[in-house]
Amino acid sequence: MIYIENNSHDPTYNLAFEEYIFAKTKYDEPILLLWQNGPSVIVGKFQNTLEEINYDYIREKGIKVVRRNTGGGAVYHDLGNLNYSFIIPNVEMKVDFKTFTTPIVKALRSYGIDAEQTGRNDILAGGRKFSGNAQQFSGHKLLHHGTLMFDVHMEDVADALNVKAGKFKSKATKSVRSRVTNLKPLFFEQNGGKDMTVLEFKKLLLDWFGREYDLKTVELTEEQKKEIELLQKEKFATDRWNFGRSPKADIVRGDFFRCGQVEFHFSVSEHRIQEVKITGDFFASKDIEELEAMFAGVPYDREGILAVLQNAELGSYLGDVTAEELADVIV
C-alpha cells in the first residue's frame, strides 16, 4: 500500500488533493491518505447546501463550507477529526462499505477499541458513532473515505448543521450529541489514563498499516502540487461548486428511505417536467445527472414518473429504494 502525506488543514486544498490523487495518478497498489481539515462543514455531492447548514452560525464562527465528490450527508470537521481515504484500483462498481471500513475497525480493535461497522456507512464504538463513510467510482477505481472523530468540538457538530427531523424518526435518541462520540476518551481508558493527541492517534494508525500492508511513502512533485492548487482554485474554492446544487423549483417532493434522504426539485410547465434536480444524502455509483435527464418532457403525473423510475437502474443512482416508493412520495 502507498501512503501520500498531506499536512494541509485547508478543506478546499485537501479535497482537491484527494481528487487529484484519485483521478490523475496511476498506481497499481492501493493508496492511503490521512488528513485533517480546519473548522468546516463538508457537504455531500448531491445535497442542497443551504438546507444542510446553519448559515448564521457558520458565518459567525468563520467555518468553511465545501462540497465533496461523494454522496452521503453533511459532516462537521475540525482539527480534532482525522480523515482517511483509500484509493483502490481494479474494483467492482458496487457500493460496498464494509470491505473498506474493515481495516479501520481492525486497527482500532488492535488498540483495544470496541469498534464495529453498522448501518449503511457508520463505524460505532459502544453504540455511538465516531465515523461516517462515503464512496466514489471512476471506471474501475474506487475512492472510499471516512471521518474519525478523535477530539472534535461537539457543540459545533450539532450547531453547524441543520439536522432534519426525519433523520431520527426511527431512532430512540433525538440528539446529535447523544449519537456521536470521540475516540480520545476511549483511548484514555485503554491507556490507563494516559492522554493522547490526534497526531499521536494518526501515528498509531500509520504504524498499524505499516505492519499489515507494508506502507511505502510516495512524495508528489512540485508540478503535481501546482496542479492540485489549480484544481483547488477552479473548483473547490468556488461558490459555484460549493453552493451550486441549491435549485429553484416549482414542486419539491422527498422523504427518507432505506437509501437515505432523497428529494426531487421539479420545474414544471404546462404539466410537463422541464427540469429536475435530485438532492439528498444517498450514495450513487452512476452519475445522478443521467437520472435527472430522463424526466425531461415527461408529464407530471404518477404514470409518467413511475415509468421513468421503473426503467431506470435505481440501485446505481440512489441505492435501496423502489420505483413505487418514490412515486408514492413524488405524486
PDB file of all heavy atoms in Angstrom, residues 91 93 137-141:
ATOM      1  N   VAL A  91     -11.590  -2.402  -9.021  1.00  0.00           N
ATOM      2  CA  VAL A  91     -12.640  -2.923  -8.154  1.00  0.00           C
ATOM      3  C   VAL A  91     -13.950  -3.009  -8.931  1.00  0.00           C
ATOM      4  O   VAL A  91     -14.139  -2.345  -9.949  1.00  0.00           O
ATOM      5  CB  VAL A  91     -12.854  -2.039  -6.901  1.00  0.00           C
ATOM      6  CG1 VAL A  91     -11.619  -2.046  -6.023  1.00  0.00           C
ATOM      7  CG2 VAL A  91     -13.238  -0.615  -7.292  1.00  0.00           C
ATOM      8  N   MET A  93     -17.753  -2.118  -9.588  1.00  0.00           N
ATOM      9  CA  MET A  93     -18.504  -0.888  -9.352  1.00  0.00           C
ATOM     10  C   MET A  93     -19.773  -1.197  -8.567  1.00  0.00           C
ATOM     11  O   MET A  93     -20.869  -1.281  -9.128  1.00  0.00           O
ATOM     12  CB  MET A  93     -18.819  -0.185 -10.670  1.00  0.00           C
ATOM     13  CG  MET A  93     -17.617   0.484 -11.305  1.00  0.00           C
ATOM     14  SD  MET A  93     -18.051   1.454 -12.738  1.00  0.00           S
ATOM     15  CE  MET A  93     -19.081   2.729 -12.019  1.00  0.00           C
ATOM     16  N   PHE A 137     -16.826   6.212  -7.513  1.00  0.00           N
ATOM     17  CA  PHE A 137     -16.208   5.349  -8.520  1.00  0.00           C
ATOM     18  C   PHE A 137     -15.819   6.168  -9.748  1.00  0.00           C
ATOM     19  O   PHE A 137     -16.489   7.133 -10.107  1.00  0.00           O
ATOM     20  CB  PHE A 137     -17.175   4.246  -8.966  1.00  0.00           C
ATOM     21  CG  PHE A 137     -17.529   3.271  -7.880  1.00  0.00           C
ATOM     22  CD1 PHE A 137     -18.616   3.506  -7.046  1.00  0.00           C
ATOM     23  CD2 PHE A 137     -16.777   2.131  -7.682  1.00  0.00           C
ATOM     24  CE1 PHE A 137     -18.949   2.615  -6.045  1.00  0.00           C
ATOM     25  CE2 PHE A 137     -17.106   1.232  -6.682  1.00  0.00           C
ATOM     26  CZ  PHE A 137     -18.191   1.469  -5.858  1.00  0.00           C
ATOM     27  N   SER A 138     -14.736   5.755 -10.377  1.00  0.00           N
ATOM     28  CA  SER A 138     -14.368   6.296 -11.684  1.00  0.00           C
ATOM     29  C   SER A 138     -13.760   5.149 -12.472  1.00  0.00           C
ATOM     30  O   SER A 138     -12.666   4.672 -12.153  1.00  0.00           O
ATOM     31  CB  SER A 138     -13.356   7.435 -11.544  1.00  0.00           C
ATOM     32  OG  SER A 138     -12.984   7.917 -12.823  1.00  0.00           O
ATOM     33  N   GLY A 139     -14.490   4.693 -13.499  1.00  0.00           N
ATOM     34  CA  GLY A 139     -14.071   3.484 -14.175  1.00  0.00           C
ATOM     35  C   GLY A 139     -14.110   2.329 -13.185  1.00  0.00           C
ATOM     36  O   GLY A 139     -15.116   2.101 -12.523  1.00  0.00           O
ATOM     37  N   HIS A 140     -13.004   1.633 -13.039  1.00  0.00           N
ATOM     38  CA  HIS A 140     -12.928   0.547 -12.057  1.00  0.00           C
ATOM     39  C   HIS A 140     -12.054   0.947 -10.876  1.00  0.00           C
ATOM     40  O   HIS A 140     -11.446   0.101 -10.217  1.00  0.00           O
ATOM     41  CB  HIS A 140     -12.399  -0.722 -12.719  1.00  0.00           C
ATOM     42  CG  HIS A 140     -13.381  -1.318 -13.680  1.00  0.00           C
ATOM     43  ND1 HIS A 140     -14.491  -2.025 -13.268  1.00  0.00           N
ATOM     44  CD2 HIS A 140     -13.442  -1.273 -15.031  1.00  0.00           C
ATOM     45  CE1 HIS A 140     -15.185  -2.413 -14.323  1.00  0.00           C
ATOM     46  NE2 HIS A 140     -14.577  -1.970 -15.405  1.00  0.00           N
ATOM     47  N   LYS A 141     -12.011   2.245 -10.597  1.00  0.00           N
ATOM     48  CA  LYS A 141     -11.231   2.784  -9.491  1.00  0.00           C
ATOM     49  C   LYS A 141     -12.195   3.275  -8.416  1.00  0.00           C
ATOM     50  O   LYS A 141     -13.239   3.872  -8.723  1.00  0.00           O
ATOM     51  CB  LYS A 141     -10.376   3.946 -10.001  1.00  0.00           C
ATOM     52  CG  LYS A 141      -9.100   4.207  -9.247  1.00  0.00           C
ATOM     53  CD  LYS A 141      -8.290   5.245 -10.019  1.00  0.00           C
ATOM     54  CE  LYS A 141      -6.964   5.530  -9.355  1.00  0.00           C
ATOM     55  NZ  LYS A 141      -6.201   6.563 -10.096  1.00  0.00           N
TER      56      LYS A 141
END
